[in-house]
Amino acid sequence: MTELKPTIGLEIHAHLKTRAKMFCSCKNSATESEPNKNVCPVCLGHPGALPTINEQGVKKVVEAGRALNCKIADFSRFDRKNYFYPDLAKGYQISQLKHPLCKSGYLKINEKEIRINRIHLEEDTGSLIHNDKSLVDFNRSGVPLMELVTEPDISSGKEARQFAEELRLILRYLDVSDADMEKGQMRVEVNISLAEEGSDLGTKVEIKNLNSFKVVEQAVEYEIKRQAAILKKGKGVVQETRGWNEKKQKTVSQRAKEEAHDYRYFPEPDLPPLDLNEAPLKKEEITLRSELPQNRRERFKKEYGIEKELFITDKSLGNYFEKVISEGLNWLKNKKSRVDKKEKEELVSLCCNYILSDLQGLLEGDSIEGENFKITPENFAELIVLIHTEEISSKIAKKVLKEMFETGGDPSQIIKEKDLKQVKDEGKLEKIIEEVIKENEEAAEDLKSGKKEAKQYLIGQVMAKTRGKADPEAVNKIISRKFN
Ligand code: ZN
Ligand code: MN
């Protein structure tokens, strides 16, 4: 048997971040905890209630389509997808079948183009809560959803995960969706089949209820192994829907596919078709409102020579970094007229270190967007410049940063108040060193007789005496001079 090749496609639903629901003016709120609060006759599916189109929802899907290199339709319309379920009061979902808003796009993952078949707009259903009774909450009913379907271009669990993660990032950059999988704002379904290279595609298995990116990867990897084992025994894979069992760390059968569902789609008679060449939905006027993550990756590499993924995945942190750099350059230019390339590189490298390591440590997993974050980019930049110009040591800088983090204070103010400025003055240092030598006669004797480790000890004593403020290089130089 030749190598079995997995063929994987994704179907991803994401809640659109709109003020109102898709076809009524009820609030679209992901955080509403009171059941059935944001409801009206339209989203409760009362007979005769008429839907209207939320333009913001259409625009967000078009924007997502642009970001994903899709062809935007000239003409689009809604269709009814008929089926019965207790969370679907109307007995049909308003969706799009024949005329989706976006078609034929792609998203590059590791230089490979994963083609996107379509992105269409639809509404979500209510949600069911099963306790001893089953309850229906219609807050989610009518919330706008984009549904994205890829071509079967994905070939591993990792690739499936990366696609979903990059998509989430794009949707967040554009403010199209918060796309939080844990909150059900983004739902990923996987279609997967295995077959020998060059032969027809194998039997397709659908995996649903994947509630995190990690689980997407795990479920795909598990399914590749499971199907391969069946095929290697010469048996056939059953066409079915499976779900992920977190406890058992495997996919389990949920239901076998009887026949293809017949949803009896037909054009939605209560809504007008959409003309995307005319106001108010003229497609030329629906443009990207933000730089895309991949463009930012490339720009950061070109402009600053860095590849730091945290500045990409945390957009606000990336913005903060850029502000700190530009303020930092201003500070430096004020101190001296010209800043050369090497100095800029040093500044960038200091910023990366202090933002990505020290600051992250202080934040303990919080975002700088939180209201407790007090350090302005100006103050952060000033701190970086003080380190760069060696007015304070890195050890002192950490103290100052901690103080800034706690109080939002100005670094030069903190340094002044706490008397933390680096001591470089040779006269002052000489005095302190002489004191240290007097207090540590033994070590001084050792150094005289050639024991090198005694020198480190003496430097340490000077640092301690100055509470870390002495310039260690200058101290080293003076001590060497004294003992040679
Ligand atoms: Zn409503
Ligand atoms: Mn759907």
Side-chain angles (χ1 to χ4, degrees), residues 8 10 109-110 112 114 153-165 216-217 221:
I8 302 161
L10 301 178
I109 300 295
N110 303 325
K112 173 179 163 186
I114 311 284
D153 290 347
I154 294 168
S155 45
S156 72
K158 194 174 170 205
E159 209 169 72
R161 176 190 184 146
Q162 287 176 327
F163 182 94
E165 283 179 337
V216 169
E217 179 170 352
E221 290 307 321

Side-chain angles (χ1 to χ4, degrees), residues 269-330:
D270 287 341
L271 291 171
L274 303 171
D275 182 346
L276 288 122
N277 290 313
E278 285 296 331
L281 291 171
K282 204 169 175 172
K283 60 181 175 181
E284 274 82 43
E285 281 163 20
I286 307 171
T287 49
L288 296 182
R289 78 189 69 192
S290 157
E291 177 184 41
L292 293 171
Q294 188 51 31
N295 297 340
R296 173 171 281 200
R297 279 189 197 100
E298 284 156 20
R299 186 169 64 77
F300 272 35
K301 198 173 169 191
K302 205 171 144 215
E303 237 166 84
Y304 309 111
I306 56 168
E307 288 173 275
K308 306 283 184 194
E309 194 57 15
L310 195 58
F311 287 150
I312 312 300
T313 54
D314 186 341
K315 190 184 179 190
S316 58
L317 196 68
N319 291 344
Y320 189 77
F321 164 80
E322 292 210 274
K323 276 189 207 137
V324 172
I325 287 291
S326 105
E327 290 291 335
L329 289 172
N330 284 341

Side-chain angles (χ1 to χ4, degrees), residues 194-205:
L194 252 66
E196 282 179 44
E197 188 106 55
S199 72
D200 287 346
L201 295 181
T203 308
K204 197 161 82 176
V205 168

Side-chain angles (χ1 to χ4, degrees), residues 13 81 93 120 122 147:
H13 286 84
K81 181 182 180 179
Q93 178 194 29
H120 72 247
E122 57 185 35
E147 178 181 328

Side-chain angles (χ1 to χ4, degrees), residues 234-298:
K235 293 184 184 163
V237 171
V238 179
Q239 187 185 347
E240 61 183 348
T241 301
R242 299 178 72 86
W244 178 250
N245 186 313
E246 184 63 36
K247 256 195 206 139
K248 294 181 181 159
Q249 291 285 301
K250 55 175 167 177
T251 63
V252 289
S253 179
Q254 290 190 324
R255 63 185 152 87
K257 201 135 197 166
E258 307 92 46
E259 292 139 64
H261 283 284
D262 182 2
Y263 292 113
R264 218 168 45 87
Y265 277 98
F266 61 83
E268 167 59 59
D270 287 341
L271 291 171
L274 303 171
D275 182 346
L276 288 122
N277 290 313
E278 285 296 331
L281 291 171
K282 204 169 175 172
K283 60 181 175 181
E284 274 82 43
E285 281 163 20
I286 307 171
T287 49
L288 296 182
R289 78 189 69 192
S290 157
E291 177 184 41
L292 293 171
Q294 188 51 31
N295 297 340
R296 173 171 281 200
R297 279 189 197 100
E298 284 156 20

Side-chain angles (χ1 to χ4, degrees), residues 24 26 39-40 43:
C24 61
C26 288
V39 293
C40 74
C43 56

